[in-house]
């Protein structure tokens, strides 16, 4: 069992930056895949970025070159650095820990990109 708590969301202007954090209740270095997902109003939840226990990163095409996923195994925290934000990045962002057969989600943090 692992609890995930996201933070760092907020309102930012287009072109701005935010860093999301996901604090885990226990060590996460052995979890198979950690990731960030997002869900915009009226849309399905979609993958943003993932990182495996071996350090392999994967990004959605829409965020490549702008977002960076990272993990601090000492602090048991997952991060998402978001730069050059666009209005279409507006969504609730969720942290996920995929440790098959177990799958854990945070409660989400709202990111709004608007002038």
């Amino acid at each position: 069992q692992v609890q995930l708590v996201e933070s760092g969301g907020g309102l930012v202007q287009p072109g701005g930056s935010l860093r999301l954090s996901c604090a885990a209740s226990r060590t996460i270095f052995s979890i198979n895949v950690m990731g960030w997902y997002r869900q915009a109003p009226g849309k399905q939840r979609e993958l943003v970025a993932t990182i495996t226990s071996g350090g392999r990163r994967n990004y959605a095409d829409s965020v490549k070159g702008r977002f960076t996923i990272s993990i601090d195994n000492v602090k048991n925290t997952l991060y998402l650095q978001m730069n050059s934000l666009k209005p279409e990045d507006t969504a609730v962002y969720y942290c996920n820990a995929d440790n098959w057969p177990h799958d854990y989600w945070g409660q989400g943090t709202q990111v709004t990109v608007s002038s």
Side-chain angles (χ1 to χ4, degrees):
Q1 187 85 5
V2 57
Q3 282 77 45
L4 304 171
V5 179
E6 301 98 332
S7 61
L11 173 64
V12 63
Q13 292 187 344
S17 298
L18 282 175
R19 188 177 79 156
L20 305 183
S21 299
C22 172
S25 60
R26 66 161 179 82
T27 183
I28 56 175
F29 82 94
S30 61
I31 291 181
N32 294 333
V33 184
M34 297 288 299
W36 289 96
Y37 292 73
R38 66 186 182 187
Q39 188 167 18
K43 295 187 177 181
Q44 290 188 330
R45 190 172 297 188
E46 63 176 4
L47 179 147
V48 176
T50 59
I51 183 168
T52 69
S53 57
R56 180 172 296 180
R57 294 167 171 81
N58 180 54
Y59 296 95
D61 288 343
S62 59
V63 306
K64 281 181 181 176
R66 300 188 297 123
F67 290 10
T68 302
I69 189 171
S70 62
I71 196 164
D72 186 328
N73 287 312
V74 174
K75 295 182 178 180
N76 297 327
T77 301
L78 179 73
Y79 300 100
L80 184 68
Q81 178 66 44
M82 306 186 294
N83 299 327
S84 302
L85 283 161
K86 304 175 180 180
E88 50 264 43
D89 294 318
T90 295
V92 178
Y93 284 69
Y94 297 91
C95 176
N96 173 259
D98 179 0
N99 204 40
W100 191 89
H102 304 293
D103 194 34
Y104 305 99
W105 293 90
Q107 83 290 347
T109 185
Q110 176 71 47
V111 172
T112 302
V113 185
S114 175
S115 55

